[in-house]
Amino acid sequence: MLIAHLSDPHLRPKGYLYQGLVDSNAMFALALDHLAGLDPRPDVVLLTGDVVDEGMAEEYAVAAEMLAGIGLPLLVIPGNHDERDGFRACFAGHTYLAKAGPLHFAVGDLGPVRIVGLDVTVPGEHYGAVYDEASSWLDSVLAAEPDRPTLVMMHQPPILSGIPYIDDYNCRGGDRLAAVLARNRQVERVLCGHVHRFMQTRFGGTMLITAPSTTTAIALRLRPDAEPASFLEPPAMVLHHWTQPSGLVTHYVPIGRFPGPYPFF
């Protein structure tokens, strides 16, 4: 089973630039073009939030138009830049999404790997949170299939990256989430976005991965007094490949056209 993981496109209304500088729509179009060229084709695409930048209806219209031709199963979870009702309306045809409240879900009919979405967004805030209700829901859902390899996708990571200006807006309640994961050892990965960088670390007895943004990269500045900044680094996506008996292997995949292929390895 091949699982493509994209995040944080920050789509804008037609004719507008992200932060007034970057054509995030064009960059997401390049990402979708790269996705369409993958061989073999992914079995499912995961989009871990900040689909749009300001939660505007005009932005969600762009998102709906761009994703309409993807031709692959798509699972989505909102981020802090998404507006929950607008997000729900944009993806109204995605019947796995709840009609009210948090947009948690569990999907198990796309292949051997089960995919669980945990909506950790707090409306009106940029940080995320795992409260008792969400942790209880996740614990119950995971306990229903304890032997099934599972991915949990969410937006804000429940860890500290070391980048001070993004860590102010991480997912709170990480200890609560880690305790749930420690009881459910079938979780192969926790998949996040938000940081606009690729990271991996141990968390709750499993691996946590953040996908880079398809638009900009938050600067890797690890001093506690670092000034916030971003760069136009090469965009990328992540591929998660499940096989037997190897299990899940994660690949970082730059987006674009590069010299090659050459006849050596």
Side-chain angles (χ1 to χ4, degrees):
M1 183 177 182
L2 187 61
I3 300 158
H5 177 193
L6 292 87
S7 201
D8 294 81
H10 287 269
L11 300 175
R12 300 289 288 127
K14 290 182 179 180
Y16 286 78
L17 299 177
Y18 174 60
Q19 300 295 325
L21 296 170
V22 183
D23 193 343
S24 55
N25 298 2
M27 295 182 76
F28 192 54
L30 289 174
L32 295 180
D33 181 65
H34 193 104
L35 182 69
L38 292 176
D39 184 17
R41 295 274 279 159
D43 296 286
V44 60
V45 178
L46 312 183
L47 184 52
T48 49
D50 283 358
V51 176
V52 304
D53 191 50
E54 295 186 5
M56 300 166 59
E58 296 89 345
E59 294 173 327
Y60 284 117
V62 169
E65 181 180 335
M66 295 187 74
L67 291 167
I70 196 170
L72 295 166
L74 173 66
L75 302 180
V76 294
I77 205 79
N80 53 296
H81 283 262
D82 289 302
E83 194 279 323
R84 190 174 282 172
D85 289 339
F87 185 96
R88 203 188 313 269
C90 178
F91 298 105
H94 292 234
T95 56
Y96 58 87
L97 292 174
K99 301 301 182 185
L103 293 160
H104 308 319
F105 63 82
V107 174
D109 59 355
L110 297 175
V113 178
R114 188 181 188 215
I115 300 168
V116 174
L118 186 66
D119 180 4
V120 299
T121 59
V122 179
E125 302 290 348
H126 285 297
Y127 65 84
V130 177
Y131 298 119
D132 287 340
E133 183 178 355
S135 64
S136 296
W137 177 88
L138 180 63
D139 209 2
S140 175
V141 165
L142 293 177
E145 295 195 51
D147 300 318
R148 181 88 177 269
T150 300
L151 304 179
V152 175
M153 56 184 287
M154 52 195 286
H155 183 64
Q156 294 97 332
I159 59 163
L160 296 177
S161 69
I163 305 172
Y165 40 85
I166 195 65
D167 286 343
D168 287 340
Y169 307 110
N170 74 339
C171 179
R172 302 171 186 181
D175 290 347
R176 186 179 291 116
L177 178 57
V180 172
L181 296 173
R183 290 192 292 271
N184 294 277
R185 304 309 294 266
Q186 77 274 27
V187 177
E188 295 282 340
R189 298 283 191 280
V190 177
L191 306 179
C192 304
H194 188 59
V195 182
H196 289 219
R197 302 200 65 84
F198 178 83
M199 300 189 308
Q200 62 177 359
T201 188
R202 296 289 299 176
F203 178 78
T206 187
M207 292 297 298
L208 182 146
I209 300 285
T210 65
S213 169
T214 58
T215 300
T216 57
I218 288 175
L220 182 58
R221 293 180 171 180
L222 301 176
R223 290 181 57 90
D225 59 349
E227 291 292 323
S230 293
F231 286 95
L232 270 174
E233 296 180 6
M237 67 177 69
V238 181
L239 289 178
H240 308 280
H241 190 205
W242 173 268
T243 59
Q244 289 285 14
S246 298
L248 194 70
V249 176
T250 295
H251 301 268
Y252 175 91
V253 183
I255 292 168
R257 306 292 181 186
F258 306 101
Y262 299 113
F264 55 79
F265 57 90

